[in-house]
Amino acid sequence: MAEYDAVVVGSGPNGLTAACVLASAGLSVLVVEAAPDLGGGLRSAELTLPGFTHDVCAAVHTLGCLSPVFHALDLETHGLRWVYPDASVAHPLEGAEAVIAYPDIERTVAQLAQDGGAYRGMLEPLLRAGEGLMGDVLSPLRFPRHPVAMARLGFYGFRSVEALANGRFHGARARALLAGCAAHSVLPLDRYLTAGVSLVFLLAAHMRPWPVAEGGSRSIANALCEAARSEGVSFETNVRIERFDQLPSARAVLFDLAPRQVATIAADQLPARYLRALTRYRMGPGVFKVDWALDGEIPWSARECRLASTVHVGGTIDEVARSENDAFEGRRSDRPFVLVAQQSHFDATRAPSGRHTGYGYCHVPAGFDGDMTDAIEAQVERFAPGFRDRILARHVRGPAQWERYNPSYVGGAITGGVADLKGFVARPALRLDPYSTPNRRLYMCSHSTPPGGGVHGMCGLHAARSALRRVFGLGLGGLGKRLAQPHDCQIGLVSRRS
Ligand SMILES: Cc1cc2nc3c(=O)[nH]c(=O)nc-3n(C[C@H](O)[C@H](O)[C@H](O)COP(=O)(O)OP(=O)(O)OC[C@H]3O[C@@H](n4cnc5c(N)ncnc54)[C@H](O)[C@@H]3O)c2cc1C
């Protein structure tokens, strides 16, 4: 007899969510994790100086705060508190200017001059369908529940962001705002679907200002672990699975891992053709990240940048496009597009009084072994003169260190694989049910399955649902009812630092 009904390998947000879903259906579940602590991309640590809490990986929870499954698991009752900034994202431009995505769409429109009407005309109808549309976006490919809104999103979003921004807008502000949001795709900005990524991030920005988690992103992992423990899930840490026979016996195994890892671990459990697809799966560029302990806020020339949890540092759409293209084509960018997060502006637990944490990363070629510290800091200094003088200490991590830190970050890639057209329909391989494998007992639940990268747990939900149905003949039970309930997008703001 099997020791467990299900074993989940890897404790990232998707693995933990899958464990919660399986256990809430009454199954016995074990999570095995290679690292000494749980949480995958949801860890926080004092990387620089005592008293400074840095998010090691994910920092800003654009999709997490809108995730239907996080809502259904009621993570707030397990101690999670989202902290909402005044604005989601700021994008500084030359001349002490910036364009800001405020939750209030009219306030955003007001900055866009001649492009305001076109922005409103594009975003407002999507926003009206916001919650339902987001549910469709965060699902595997299927007939949408909100076909009209999805068709509208598809109409604007299928094309490249360069085509959308340069075709519909005339000013540098709107174009830069769209480009910065599209760069989260880690794709060159002339690729199909990059406009869609940009629109999803902007839609989210107008639903709830992109939050951080009080106490650090580890609070999300803690809440997921609490939810899992309350359903009876067991955990084993410091167990790195490299061969299938290391796993305890179970009726189902769910891998919260990169496809290539699964191809190695389950080489004798899967047919050659599927193994080939997993081995050839493209992970895309890596990241180079710097965390700073700062003796004060980042001194943005455009003061309003301090209102946002995220600052897109890279200048005009053409500059952002050049940088993203460089990373994708295997070149180092001299002027990288940098994603900056400023959690301590909103969450006083992150740094000693009067001091701040800073977080910035850029995309680099897969496996890049150079140092981007100077280039990243020069970009921030360009829009915030005096920034370097505020650095008390820094912590740096490039692709090789990322892969050592988490073997799922193959080549330093952090979002589960290339999200272009091919990666959209064959994630990780072309199958009607992308979470299943040709072996009925084995499932993929990581961000290398739909809907892809980011902290939202939805890959874990869909994979667990697939395993429940195929192996155990079960549905989601009570959790299914909670998932169907509307999920109010206005929730109380917790106390802010400034
Ligand atoms: C620098 C950085 C910044 C990011 N910023 C954001 C952000 O701001 N917002 C956002 O939403 N997302 C962000 N992300 C992406 C986000 O963290 C990931 O998409 C998310 O964590 C994926 O979750 P997962 O459960 O699929 O996998 P992971 O979080 O990668 O978890 C996989 C787990 O499996 C474990 N593991 C690996 N190999 C083995 C093995 N052989 N045996 C056992 N265990 C194993 C790992 O240790 C890890 O704990 C960022 C990521 C990074 C690295």
Side-chain angles (χ1 to χ4, degrees):
M1 211 176 92
E3 233 177 300
Y4 292 93
D5 290 320
V7 171
V8 178
V9 184
S11 70
N14 287 312
L16 292 174
T17 301
C20 290
V21 174
L22 294 165
S24 74
L27 304 187
S28 60
V29 181
L30 171 72
V31 176
V32 284
E33 165 58 50
D37 51 350
L38 301 165
L42 289 175
R43 298 187 181 110
S44 311
E46 287 187 342
L47 297 175
T48 54
L49 298 174
F52 291 82
T53 301
H54 301 274
D55 290 323
V56 178
C57 304
V60 177
H61 299 288
T62 308
L63 297 175
C65 71
L66 298 171
S67 161
V69 72
F70 285 180
H71 176 69
L73 292 171
D74 207 358
L75 296 187
E76 276 91 347
T77 64
H78 295 288
L80 173 63
R81 309 242 305 157
W82 299 117
V83 188
Y84 290 92
D86 296 302
S88 294
V89 57
H91 191 126
L93 292 161
E94 296 294 352
E97 271 194 51
V99 56
I100 314 281
Y102 293 104
D104 177 355
I105 192 166
E106 286 309 320
R107 198 170 167 200
T108 308
V109 162
Q111 309 157 87
L112 300 178
Q114 78 271 36
D115 290 327
Y119 184 87
R120 183 196 295 109
M122 184 171 71
L123 259 306
E124 210 173 55
L126 299 178
L127 198 50
R128 260 186 252 120
E131 192 179 318
L133 178 57
M134 212 38 105
D136 278 333
V137 167
L138 293 176
S139 294
L141 270 183
R142 56 155 203 219
F143 189 77
R145 304 239 157 89
H146 302 267
V148 176
M150 271 303 265
R152 188 177 274 275
L153 178 64
F155 170 73
Y156 293 117
F158 187 76
R159 62 193 103 174
S160 76
V161 76
E162 283 189 335
L164 179 67
N166 294 332
R168 191 172 170 88
F169 300 105
H170 303 283
R173 287 167 163 251
R175 287 175 175 172
L177 181 61
L178 263 78
C181 290
H184 287 260
S185 67
V186 206
L187 286 172
L189 303 193
D190 61 357
R191 294 293 166 101
Y192 287 120
L193 298 179
T194 48
V197 171
S198 182
L199 287 178
V200 168
F201 275 81
L202 287 168
L203 174 65
H206 297 304
M207 290 173 72
R208 290 185 184 184
W210 301 357
V212 301
E214 190 176 53
S217 292
R218 66 182 168 202
S219 310
I220 307 173
N222 291 345
L224 280 164
C225 289
E226 271 302 306
R229 283 198 184 96
S230 72
E231 297 284 0
V233 172
S234 313
F235 294 94
E236 278 180 22
T237 52
N238 287 312
V239 181
R240 181 167 168 169
I241 302 299
E242 275 155 349
R243 294 182 328 271
F244 199 78
D245 61 13
Q246 284 174 277
L247 288 167
S249 65
R251 291 174 66 194
V253 179
L254 285 80
F255 293 103
D256 184 20
L257 303 180
R260 227 170 282 178
Q261 293 178 285
V262 177
T264 307
I265 294 169
D268 54 355
Q269 306 288 319
L270 292 164
R273 197 185 151 101
Y274 185 75
L275 287 173
R276 236 183 347 263
L278 296 188
T279 312
R280 289 183 184 160
Y281 181 78
R282 299 159 306 147
M283 293 302 286
V287 295
F288 191 100
K289 177 168 179 268
V290 189
D291 287 282
W292 298 283
L294 298 171
D295 190 17
E297 291 182 358
I298 301 179
W300 302 109
S301 301
R303 293 288 295 149
E304 58 273 36
C305 290
R306 59 198 286 281
L307 302 176
S309 55
T310 304
V311 186
H312 288 159
V313 179
T316 63
I317 183 170
D318 291 342
E319 287 179 271
V320 178
R322 210 170 304 125
S323 164
E324 292 309 302
N325 208 39
D326 280 344
F328 204 82
E329 300 289 332
R331 292 185 299 270
R332 175 191 191 281
S333 171
D334 290 333
R335 280 192 150 189
F337 171 71
V338 184
L339 292 109
V340 171
Q342 33 193 22
Q343 299 92 319
S344 60
H345 283 215
F346 313 101
D347 176 8
T349 68
R350 303 294 185 103
S353 175
R355 300 195 156 174
H356 283 276
T357 57
Y359 161 120
Y361 71 85
C362 68
H363 301 137
V364 290
F368 174 77
D369 62 0
D371 187 350
M372 294 298 284
T373 312
D374 274 351
I376 287 176
E377 290 180 358
Q379 283 286 66
V380 180
E381 182 80 26
R382 179 178 157 202
F383 297 99
F387 163 68
R388 279 193 168 121
D389 299 337
R390 299 212 169 156
I391 299 174
L392 299 170
R394 64 170 71 72
H395 176 273
V396 167
R397 202 169 260 168
Q401 291 105 318
W402 281 117
E403 195 168 334
R404 258 199 308 283
Y405 175 73
N406 176 349
S408 301
Y409 294 150
V410 179
I414 63 165
T415 54
V418 177
D420 61 2
L421 213 47
K422 181 169 178 223
F424 186 66
V425 291
R427 193 175 184 93
L430 193 59
R431 285 179 71 76
L432 268 181
D433 175 348
Y435 310 97
S436 71
T437 71
N439 181 329
R440 228 176 111 253
R441 288 174 53 217
L442 308 189
Y443 294 82
M444 301 276 298
C445 70
S446 74
H447 55 171
S448 299
T449 62
V455 172
H456 43 64
M458 295 299 282
C459 312
L461 165 71
H462 298 307
R465 193 200 306 250
S466 175
L468 281 174
R469 183 167 51 81
R470 287 168 174 261
V471 182
F472 303 96
L474 292 172
L476 291 175
L479 187 75
K481 289 200 193 83
R482 290 203 295 282
L483 274 164
Q485 280 164 9
H487 144 206
D488 180 11
C489 285
Q490 286 308 318
I491 60 173
L493 306 184
V494 303
S495 60
R496 298 213 187 97
R497 184 181 185 122
S498 53

